[in-house]
Amino acid sequence: MARRWDVVVIGAGPAGLAAARVVAAGGLSCAVIERMGPGGETMNLGTIHHAPAGAAGMSGGDFAAALLDEAMGAGAELVFAEATGVTGNGPWTVATDDEAHDARAVIVATGLAKGTLGLANEADYEGRGLSHCAACDGPLYAGKNVVVAGPDGWAIQEAVDLASVAAGVTLVVDGPVPAGALDGLDNLTALAGRIVGLAGDDGVERVAIVDAGGARTLEATGVFVYTDRRPATAVAPGSAARDGDGALVIDGVGSTSEIGLFAAGDARAGAAERIVEALADGENAGRAAVAYLHAMA
């Protein structure tokens, strides 16, 4: 038998936890469904760069814990499960790998899927030199050379963090190299180009890159991939309007094209992919969901 809630939030990153806090503080029952640990990718950060007010100097893990405490303190409940689909037309049913959850409203805050290089042999190197988390795997490459595939601000932050442990870090940006972002780090360089090949018998050993000067090969044992990260919105109903990248299209208050379905953070079209904006997004969607359900009462 399905559990019943006023609001189900899918995703416990900054946007999802901010939304849950607002919903629960508004007097509504709220579940936050998360398949891994609360905090989303924030958990994987070292010191947060461009931190929100009050979070300066905090690690990603500590900041995520603070967000969780606020949401749970307001009355939201964390459910560890993987959401596999949302059906209905308001009310909704959120299916998970464990049980179903009925909700009068749903907020999708699922963030971005992990990046990909689009190479035929890419899967062969997952966990064998190919990574998506500097804080998780960076210590494995202490004193070694690594490559980070950009181009966004998240990749820059990861490259900067890796520079504190790796012998050398090369940030490969498929577009303009960011000016000033890498200043002061002698072991970190950036080049405009793209990764076109990985090679190595016992994991990644060589990285083939094409740039303005032609083809080149870098000796590196680790590649951290943040290119082609797309919104992880497959769980949302197919009827909900999306942009060309698959992000959910919303109005000014976070409502999607489906009544009672909201989106926040990197799952929504036009997201800035920064923690500060994700928090504001979540609060916005949370307020919209509360207003929607109060109007329905």
Side-chain angles (χ1 to χ4, degrees):
M1 185 174 181
R3 299 180 67 181
R4 297 182 179 275
W5 310 89
D6 291 318
V7 179
V8 165
V9 178
I10 306 175
L17 291 175
R21 171 178 52 79
V22 171
V23 167
L28 301 176
S29 62
C30 179
V32 186
I33 298 177
E34 172 58 48
R35 69 183 182 89
M36 297 183 73
E41 291 189 350
T42 307
M43 283 292 296
N44 299 330
L45 294 178
T47 301
I48 299 176
H49 302 276
H50 309 294
M58 293 180 69
S59 70
D62 288 343
F63 182 63
L67 294 178
L68 179 63
D69 287 345
E70 291 177 355
M72 301 302 103
E77 182 175 332
L78 182 63
V79 176
F80 285 106
E82 182 171 4
T84 56
V86 179
T87 57
N89 56 1
W92 303 95
T93 296
V94 181
T96 74
D97 54 358
D98 185 44
E99 60 185 337
H101 298 263
D102 290 338
R104 298 165 62 203
V106 170
I107 300 174
V108 179
T110 45
L112 299 174
K114 66 182 181 181
T116 178
L117 297 169
L119 304 178
N121 67 341
E122 190 168 347
D124 297 340
Y125 291 101
E126 283 285 352
R128 300 176 60 242
L130 198 67
S131 177
H132 308 271
C133 174
C136 310
D137 298 332
L140 299 174
Y141 301 95
K144 300 178 181 180
N145 293 324
V146 301
V147 176
V148 177
D152 58 21
W154 193 278
I156 294 171
Q157 178 169 332
E158 296 284 83
V160 170
D161 289 345
L162 284 165
S164 66
V165 295
V169 180
T170 301
L171 174 64
V172 180
V173 180
D174 190 5
V177 175
L182 312 179
D183 290 350
L185 295 168
D186 294 335
N187 64 335
L188 199 166
T189 59
L191 61 88
R194 58 190 177 88
I195 296 175
V196 295
L198 302 174
D201 296 328
D202 298 319
V204 173
E205 297 173 0
R206 297 174 298 281
V207 181
I209 296 171
V210 171
D211 62 15
R216 69 169 75 183
T217 299
L218 298 181
E219 301 291 328
T221 56
V223 178
F224 292 78
V225 184
Y226 305 99
T227 51
D228 199 31
R229 304 178 72 220
R230 296 181 181 273
T233 58
V235 67
S239 55
R242 290 166 167 80
D243 69 7
D245 291 327
L248 295 168
V249 176
I250 62 170
D251 63 13
V253 298
S255 297
T256 71
S257 61
E258 299 297 310
I259 296 175
L261 183 73
F262 304 84
D266 296 341
R268 61 97 172 167
E273 299 182 20
R274 288 166 58 99
I275 293 174
V276 173
E277 283 81 357
L279 292 172
D281 258 13
E283 293 172 354
N284 195 36
R287 286 191 293 268
V290 170
Y292 163 73
L293 291 182
H294 283 171
M296 295 286 288

